Amino acid sequence: MPRNIDPARLVNCIRRIPHAESVETRDRYVRVLRALTGDTGGPPRVDAVLEDLAQIVMWCQRRPNGLGLLVEAIRSVEGDIPEVEPLHNLVRLGEPTEHLSAGERRYVAEVMSSLDRSAVWLSLTDALGKLSERLRGTDFNAEMALRLLEDAIPGANEPHPLIPFLAVLAGMVPEEHREELGNLVNVVADRTHGRVWDADLATAEPTPQQYYLVVRIAEDQLRALIYWVHFWLVTEDGHWSLRYTAERPHLLEEVQTKLNELLLELAEDPRVAIVDLSIEFILPRTMLNLDVEMWESTALGEGQSSRIGVEYPVVVRDLRRMRNRLLRERWRRRCQVLQQHRAGASRGMVRIIPFAKDDEHDDYVDLLRDPDRPICLVPSGQHAVGRVTTRLDGWLNAGVPVVVWCRDQRASARFDANLPELLIEGGVLQLPRGVQQLRQDASGLGFPPAHVGMHITLLWDEERRRPPDDHPLQKPSVDMERGRT
């Protein structure tokens, strides 16, 4: 354990992290540490910044992998920012990272080189987590990847990431080599006090991941028409990889340019199945009608450009609800119903909402009466166009995760005909692909202005997929709400 590291050096590293001198931020560090260590008491706290940080650091030093968990706690609060990296490197100075001998490392590298490269990349990405970013843009080097794995810090009560990776490899190799690699898994488990390999649990190859490129756009509080933006690449199992964070607010044109650059990068990345990519825009509520699916990308190469909604399922999400914790439970409940109905639309899951000329009905109370359904709302009628936003607050505040509407009156009749048909054929869960097909139909005809595929907004907002900086590990205690532990 890195107990020989001077606590003052660690404190100085933490002080350079944005907001670390704020008592509220340090309270959040401690809250996450409690969750990671399972210790409900936590470190003793004092008012002075330096002494408070020193108490936290020394408390962590006295626990197995405590400093590693401190790094993870700070990352959970701050996100993947450059200022955390020096702390991570300093903690690693005292960690025994040589978990493989030179001969063992060469042997495993040879095994990796003999297997399907894409399968090995998927396994590496899964095992390395955030560390996989360090392999981006490099040629495949098995020994370098293994050293990076040895440097990884396991989570609380979890095996070292090297162990499950070796176990997956053992499931990939021919049977005559499986025992030798499986024995190495157990050896490494003994060295790291981790779990041993069970041959019955080994799989032939990792399951391909669904990828989401999540774009969060937030309005600048002081100036109009410029925005703070973050991009993450997210896997279905919940791994968030920060791909870009703005150091200054951007114009929307700059956001479009950055999105195109990231799509070009992902197209060249062998670890990302870009064919299975979906794009999600987390937007301020006033921007949910923005036609982001019509933004252009040159990721196809050879001078070609295409609308992103033609190439990928594109949906929008609501920033305001995501940041309002009072609404989270009802939102989560409807999302759980959505996730459970994988076979398609069940009775009562979808509600068509007709808009009459002078209709000012408020659906909010009606939706609260049944907290489970509907999970999908479809406004209909020519009067719905332009008036959806007046009812959207109630729908979102009631926790509805899926809303699909038409933005242009010229296409409203075709929308009213097409959407029920899509829902009957594929159910709610096929809406992202079904709407994408309508956008592709519009593309095939040269994007005629009246085509319904040019004017559909699909809000698909699942509560479980929230950015890491909006994902506390546990609720604050009563004392924490008062500002102190």
Side-chain angles (χ1 to χ4, degrees):
M1 297 302 298
R3 296 180 181 176
N4 59 328
I5 299 178
D6 182 2
R9 294 182 65 191
L10 294 166
V11 169
N12 286 332
C13 264
I14 298 173
R15 287 188 68 194
R16 297 189 187 101
I17 296 170
H19 314 304
E21 295 196 359
S22 160
V23 64
E24 290 81 7
T25 300
R26 298 197 304 278
D27 286 344
R28 292 177 68 191
Y29 295 165
V30 171
R31 202 152 63 228
V32 178
L33 274 172
R34 286 172 175 168
L36 291 175
T37 62
D39 189 326
T40 57
R45 305 291 300 283
V46 295
D47 292 329
V49 175
L50 289 178
E51 289 83 349
D52 194 27
L53 287 172
Q55 291 285 358
I56 294 171
V57 165
M58 290 187 289
W59 183 83
C60 289
Q61 282 185 310
R62 291 192 292 268
R63 279 156 179 78
N65 194 34
L67 292 181
L69 296 179
L70 176 60
V71 173
E72 290 304 307
I74 292 174
R75 274 190 171 141
S76 175
V77 173
E78 303 285 359
D80 281 325
I81 59 175
E83 291 86 351
V84 178
E85 197 63 21
L87 176 64
H88 177 265
N89 293 335
L90 184 58
V91 167
R92 277 175 36 199
L93 287 176
E95 293 285 358
T97 58
E98 292 284 331
H99 298 311
L100 293 172
S101 69
E104 291 166 342
R105 196 176 296 109
R106 281 195 302 271
Y107 165 66
V108 177
E110 290 173 2
V111 170
M112 292 167 65
S113 300
S114 70
L115 297 171
D116 178 72
R117 177 176 172 177
S118 61
V120 173
W121 269 119
L122 283 171
S123 302
L124 276 172
T125 302
D126 185 55
L128 283 168
K130 296 172 183 176
L131 288 175
S132 64
E133 292 300 305
R134 300 188 196 175
L135 291 177
R136 289 184 66 227
T138 64
D139 293 331
F140 180 72
N141 185 309
E143 288 205 27
M144 182 180 73
L146 286 172
R147 287 191 178 277
L148 200 57
L149 262 177
E150 291 180 80
D151 287 344
I153 299 173
N157 302 315
E158 292 182 358
H160 191 281
L162 185 61
I163 297 172
F165 174 72
L166 293 175
V168 170
L169 286 187
M172 293 182 183
V173 297
E175 191 170 349
E176 59 267 25
H177 301 298
R178 186 169 299 177
E179 183 177 356
E180 183 177 1
L181 194 54
N183 288 336
L184 181 58
V185 174
N186 293 331
V187 169
V188 174
D190 288 338
R191 292 172 185 165
T192 61
H193 310 290
R195 301 173 187 171
V196 297
W197 177 66
D198 184 348
D200 292 334
L201 299 179
T203 56
E205 61 182 60
T207 303
Q209 287 272 22
Q210 167 71 49
Y211 287 90
Y212 302 87
L213 183 59
V214 178
V215 186
R216 185 175 68 191
I217 300 174
E219 294 168 316
D220 185 83
Q221 297 301 309
L222 301 177
R223 290 164 292 180
L225 302 179
I226 58 173
Y227 307 91
W228 294 97
V229 60
H230 294 76
F231 288 81
W232 290 273
L233 185 65
V234 188
T235 55
E236 184 67 29
D237 61 5
H239 171 63
W240 288 71
S241 172
L242 183 66
R243 304 304 287 252
Y244 176 75
T245 181
E247 296 181 356
R248 60 171 179 80
H250 286 13
L251 296 169
L252 277 182
E253 292 80 2
E254 295 177 290
V255 179
Q256 294 183 52
T257 299
K258 190 61 190 179
L259 174 61
N260 186 52
E261 291 174 359
L262 285 175
L263 289 172
L264 288 168
E265 289 179 16
L266 294 176
E268 298 297 325
D269 193 331
R271 295 158 296 168
V272 178
I274 195 169
V275 68
D276 295 321
L277 185 73
S278 294
I279 302 178
E280 300 183 340
F281 287 86
I282 301 174
L283 300 173
R285 196 164 293 181
T286 56
M287 295 175 64
L288 290 176
N289 244 356
L290 190 66
D291 58 347
V292 288
E293 77 282 351
M294 292 292 113
W295 289 3
E296 291 197 359
S297 171
T298 59
L300 291 176
E302 299 179 357
Q304 298 183 63
S305 66
S306 181
R307 312 287 176 97
I308 60 172
V310 173
E311 302 299 326
Y312 314 102
V314 175
V315 302
V316 299
R317 305 180 62 189
D318 179 44
L319 178 64
R320 187 192 303 177
R321 177 168 64 182
M322 196 167 291
R323 291 179 169 176
N324 188 337
R325 300 185 184 185
L326 295 176
L327 304 177
R328 190 154 291 164
E329 286 307 314
R330 62 180 68 153
W331 178 25
R332 177 181 294 127
R333 182 162 176 174
R334 289 189 195 268
C335 286
Q336 288 171 343
V337 175
L338 171 65
Q339 294 154 18
Q340 291 164 2
H341 288 267
R342 293 299 179 188
S346 301
R347 190 170 186 177
M349 295 277 279
V350 178
R351 180 178 297 175
I352 308 293
I353 299 183
F355 272 72
K357 183 176 181 180
D358 300 317
D359 184 11
E360 298 296 337
H361 181 69
D362 184 358
D363 309 282
Y364 179 64
V365 174
D366 291 344
L367 291 168
L368 289 184
R369 290 193 177 106
D370 188 343
D372 293 326
R373 49 179 56 84
I375 57 167
C376 174
L377 297 178
V378 184
S380 70
Q382 62 175 332
H383 300 293
V385 176
R387 297 181 59 197
V388 168
T389 52
T390 64
R391 304 265 283 273
L392 199 55
D393 283 351
W395 300 342
L396 296 177
N397 292 346
V400 176
V402 182
V403 186
V404 56
W405 67 90
C406 179
R407 298 188 298 260
D408 193 302
Q409 189 165 330
R410 291 172 295 178
S412 63
R414 295 305 306 158
F415 175 87
D416 292 347
N418 277 271
L419 262 294
E421 184 178 334
L422 284 181
L423 289 164
I424 291 170
E425 289 181 358
V428 177
L429 293 168
Q430 294 303 313
L431 261 184
R433 293 290 180 187
V435 170
Q436 182 191 10
Q437 289 172 4
L438 290 176
R439 292 166 179 165
Q440 290 171 342
D441 291 344
S443 171
L445 297 174
F447 295 107
H451 194 288
V452 65
M454 291 279 291
H455 308 289
I456 295 180
T457 291
L458 174 58
L459 182 138
W460 187 282
D461 200 7
E462 290 198 65
E463 183 274 340
R464 65 195 171 111
R465 196 158 49 254
R466 303 197 314 273
D469 55 8
D470 187 43
H471 212 304
L473 294 183
Q474 65 178 34
K475 295 180 180 178
S477 64
V478 173
D479 290 335
M480 190 68 73
E481 291 285 1
R482 294 171 180 164
R484 299 298 305 144
T485 54

Short mmCIF file of all heavy atoms in Angstrom, two decimals, residues 452-474:
data_model
loop_
_atom_site.label_atom_id
_atom_site.label_comp_id
_atom_site.label_asym_id
_atom_site.label_seq_id
_atom_site.Cartn_x
_atom_site.Cartn_y
_atom_site.Cartn_z
N VAL A 452 -42.42 13.87 -44.04
CA VAL A 452 -42.54 13.72 -42.60
C VAL A 452 -41.20 13.40 -41.94
O VAL A 452 -40.93 13.81 -40.80
CB VAL A 452 -43.59 12.63 -42.26
CG1 VAL A 452 -43.12 11.26 -42.73
CG2 VAL A 452 -43.88 12.60 -40.77
N GLY A 453 -40.31 12.70 -42.64
CA GLY A 453 -39.01 12.36 -42.07
C GLY A 453 -38.12 13.54 -41.81
O GLY A 453 -37.10 13.42 -41.12
N MET A 454 -38.48 14.72 -42.34
CA MET A 454 -37.69 15.94 -42.14
C MET A 454 -38.08 16.67 -40.85
O MET A 454 -37.38 17.59 -40.43
CB MET A 454 -37.92 16.91 -43.31
CG MET A 454 -37.34 16.45 -44.62
SD MET A 454 -35.60 16.82 -44.68
CE MET A 454 -35.64 18.62 -44.76
N HIS A 455 -39.18 16.25 -40.22
CA HIS A 455 -39.75 17.11 -39.17
C HIS A 455 -40.19 16.34 -37.93
O HIS A 455 -41.14 16.75 -37.26
CB HIS A 455 -40.95 17.88 -39.74
CG HIS A 455 -40.64 18.61 -41.01
ND1 HIS A 455 -39.85 19.73 -41.06
CD2 HIS A 455 -41.00 18.35 -42.30
CE1 HIS A 455 -39.74 20.15 -42.30
NE2 HIS A 455 -40.43 19.33 -43.08
N ILE A 456 -39.53 15.25 -37.60
CA ILE A 456 -39.91 14.47 -36.41
C ILE A 456 -38.89 14.70 -35.30
O ILE A 456 -37.69 14.56 -35.50
CB ILE A 456 -39.99 12.97 -36.73
CG1 ILE A 456 -41.12 12.70 -37.72
CG2 ILE A 456 -40.24 12.17 -35.45
CD1 ILE A 456 -41.26 11.23 -38.08
N THR A 457 -39.40 15.04 -34.12
CA THR A 457 -38.57 15.07 -32.92
C THR A 457 -38.94 13.86 -32.07
O THR A 457 -40.12 13.64 -31.78
CB THR A 457 -38.79 16.36 -32.11
OG1 THR A 457 -38.26 17.47 -32.84
CG2 THR A 457 -38.09 16.28 -30.77
N LEU A 458 -37.94 13.09 -31.69
CA LEU A 458 -38.15 11.94 -30.80
C LEU A 458 -37.41 12.21 -29.50
O LEU A 458 -36.19 12.25 -29.47
CB LEU A 458 -37.65 10.64 -31.44
CG LEU A 458 -37.68 9.40 -30.54
CD1 LEU A 458 -39.10 9.13 -30.02
CD2 LEU A 458 -37.12 8.18 -31.26
N LEU A 459 -38.17 12.42 -28.45
CA LEU A 459 -37.59 12.52 -27.11
C LEU A 459 -37.58 11.12 -26.52
O LEU A 459 -38.63 10.52 -26.33
CB LEU A 459 -38.39 13.48 -26.24
CG LEU A 459 -37.84 13.68 -24.83
CD1 LEU A 459 -37.91 15.15 -24.43
CD2 LEU A 459 -38.57 12.84 -23.78
N TRP A 460 -36.39 10.61 -26.30
CA TRP A 460 -36.21 9.27 -25.71
C TRP A 460 -35.26 9.45 -24.53
O TRP A 460 -34.06 9.60 -24.70
CB TRP A 460 -35.63 8.31 -26.75
CG TRP A 460 -35.57 6.89 -26.27
CD1 TRP A 460 -34.65 6.34 -25.43
CD2 TRP A 460 -36.49 5.84 -26.60
NE1 TRP A 460 -34.94 5.02 -25.21
CE2 TRP A 460 -36.06 4.69 -25.92
CE3 TRP A 460 -37.63 5.78 -27.41
CZ2 TRP A 460 -36.73 3.48 -26.02
CZ3 TRP A 460 -38.29 4.56 -27.51
CH2 TRP A 460 -37.84 3.42 -26.81
N ASP A 461 -35.80 9.44 -23.35
CA ASP A 461 -35.06 9.92 -22.19
C ASP A 461 -35.11 8.88 -21.06
O ASP A 461 -36.02 8.89 -20.23
CB ASP A 461 -35.69 11.24 -21.72
CG ASP A 461 -34.74 12.06 -20.87
OD1 ASP A 461 -33.57 11.69 -20.74
OD2 ASP A 461 -35.19 13.09 -20.34
N GLU A 462 -34.12 7.98 -21.04
CA GLU A 462 -34.08 6.93 -20.02
C GLU A 462 -33.32 7.42 -18.78
O GLU A 462 -32.18 7.87 -18.88
CB GLU A 462 -33.43 5.67 -20.57
CG GLU A 462 -34.29 4.97 -21.61
CD GLU A 462 -33.86 3.54 -21.83
OE1 GLU A 462 -33.98 2.73 -20.89
OE2 GLU A 462 -33.39 3.23 -22.94
N GLU A 463 -33.96 7.28 -17.63
CA GLU A 463 -33.40 7.80 -16.38
C GLU A 463 -32.07 7.14 -16.01
O GLU A 463 -31.19 7.77 -15.45
CB GLU A 463 -34.43 7.61 -15.25
CG GLU A 463 -34.02 8.18 -13.91
CD GLU A 463 -33.19 7.20 -13.09
OE1 GLU A 463 -33.25 5.98 -13.38
OE2 GLU A 463 -32.49 7.66 -12.16
N ARG A 464 -31.91 5.85 -16.33
CA ARG A 464 -30.71 5.14 -15.90
C ARG A 464 -29.46 5.62 -16.64
O ARG A 464 -28.35 5.36 -16.18
CB ARG A 464 -30.88 3.63 -16.12
CG ARG A 464 -31.01 3.23 -17.59
CD ARG A 464 -31.54 1.82 -17.76
NE ARG A 464 -31.84 1.55 -19.17
CZ ARG A 464 -31.15 0.72 -19.92
NH1 ARG A 464 -30.11 0.10 -19.44
NH2 ARG A 464 -31.50 0.52 -21.17
N ARG A 465 -29.61 6.29 -17.77
CA ARG A 465 -28.45 6.75 -18.53
C ARG A 465 -28.28 8.26 -18.30
O ARG A 465 -28.74 9.09 -19.06
CB ARG A 465 -28.62 6.42 -20.01
CG ARG A 465 -27.32 6.50 -20.78
CD ARG A 465 -27.31 5.70 -22.06
NE ARG A 465 -28.46 5.92 -22.90
CZ ARG A 465 -29.45 5.05 -23.05
NH1 ARG A 465 -29.42 3.90 -22.41
NH2 ARG A 465 -30.47 5.31 -23.84
N ARG A 466 -27.60 8.57 -17.18
CA ARG A 466 -27.35 9.96 -16.83
C ARG A 466 -25.86 10.19 -16.74
O ARG A 466 -25.11 9.29 -16.33
CB ARG A 466 -28.01 10.31 -15.49
CG ARG A 466 -29.50 10.06 -15.43
CD ARG A 466 -30.14 10.81 -14.26
NE ARG A 466 -29.42 10.69 -13.02
CZ ARG A 466 -29.58 9.71 -12.14
NH1 ARG A 466 -30.44 8.74 -12.39
NH2 ARG A 466 -28.89 9.68 -11.03
N PRO A 467 -25.38 11.38 -17.08
CA PRO A 467 -23.94 11.65 -17.01
C PRO A 467 -23.38 11.43 -15.62
O PRO A 467 -24.09 11.59 -14.62
CB PRO A 467 -23.85 13.13 -17.43
CG PRO A 467 -25.05 13.36 -18.27
CD PRO A 467 -26.12 12.51 -17.66
N PRO A 468 -22.10 11.08 -15.51
CA PRO A 468 -21.49 10.78 -14.20
C PRO A 468 -21.57 11.93 -13.22
O PRO A 468 -21.69 11.70 -12.02
CB PRO A 468 -20.03 10.46 -14.55
CG PRO A 468 -20.03 10.08 -15.97
CD PRO A 468 -21.14 10.86 -16.62
N ASP A 469 -21.52 13.18 -13.70
CA ASP A 469 -21.56 14.31 -12.78
C ASP A 469 -22.97 14.60 -12.30
O ASP A 469 -23.19 15.53 -11.54
CB ASP A 469 -20.95 15.56 -13.42
CG ASP A 469 -21.61 15.93 -14.74
OD1 ASP A 469 -22.63 15.31 -15.10
OD2 ASP A 469 -21.10 16.84 -15.42
N ASP A 470 -23.93 13.79 -12.73
CA ASP A 470 -25.31 13.91 -12.24
C ASP A 470 -25.77 12.56 -11.69
O ASP A 470 -26.91 12.20 -11.80
CB ASP A 470 -26.24 14.35 -13.37
CG ASP A 470 -27.65 14.64 -12.86
OD1 ASP A 470 -27.77 15.28 -11.82
OD2 ASP A 470 -28.62 14.20 -13.50
N HIS A 471 -24.84 11.80 -11.08
CA HIS A 471 -25.15 10.42 -10.69
C HIS A 471 -24.56 10.12 -9.32
O HIS A 471 -23.62 9.35 -9.19
CB HIS A 471 -24.57 9.45 -11.71
CG HIS A 471 -25.40 8.21 -11.85
ND1 HIS A 471 -25.72 7.40 -10.79
CD2 HIS A 471 -25.99 7.65 -12.93
CE1 HIS A 471 -26.44 6.39 -11.22
NE2 HIS A 471 -26.63 6.52 -12.51
N PRO A 472 -25.07 10.76 -8.21
CA PRO A 472 -24.53 10.50 -6.88
C PRO A 472 -24.71 9.05 -6.50
O PRO A 472 -25.69 8.41 -6.86
CB PRO A 472 -25.35 11.42 -5.98
CG PRO A 472 -26.63 11.66 -6.73
CD PRO A 472 -26.26 11.62 -8.18
N LEU A 473 -23.74 8.49 -5.73
CA LEU A 473 -23.80 7.08 -5.37
C LEU A 473 -24.80 6.81 -4.24
O LEU A 473 -25.28 5.72 -4.09
CB LEU A 473 -22.41 6.59 -4.96
CG LEU A 473 -21.37 6.59 -6.09
CD1 LEU A 473 -20.07 6.02 -5.57
CD2 LEU A 473 -21.86 5.79 -7.27
N GLN A 474 -25.05 7.82 -3.41
CA GLN A 474 -26.03 7.61 -2.37
C GLN A 474 -26.63 8.95 -1.97
O GLN A 474 -26.08 10.01 -2.25
CB GLN A 474 -25.40 6.94 -1.15
CG GLN A 474 -24.35 7.79 -0.44
CD GLN A 474 -23.81 7.10 0.78
OE1 GLN A 474 -23.69 5.88 0.80
NE2 GLN A 474 -23.51 7.84 1.81
#
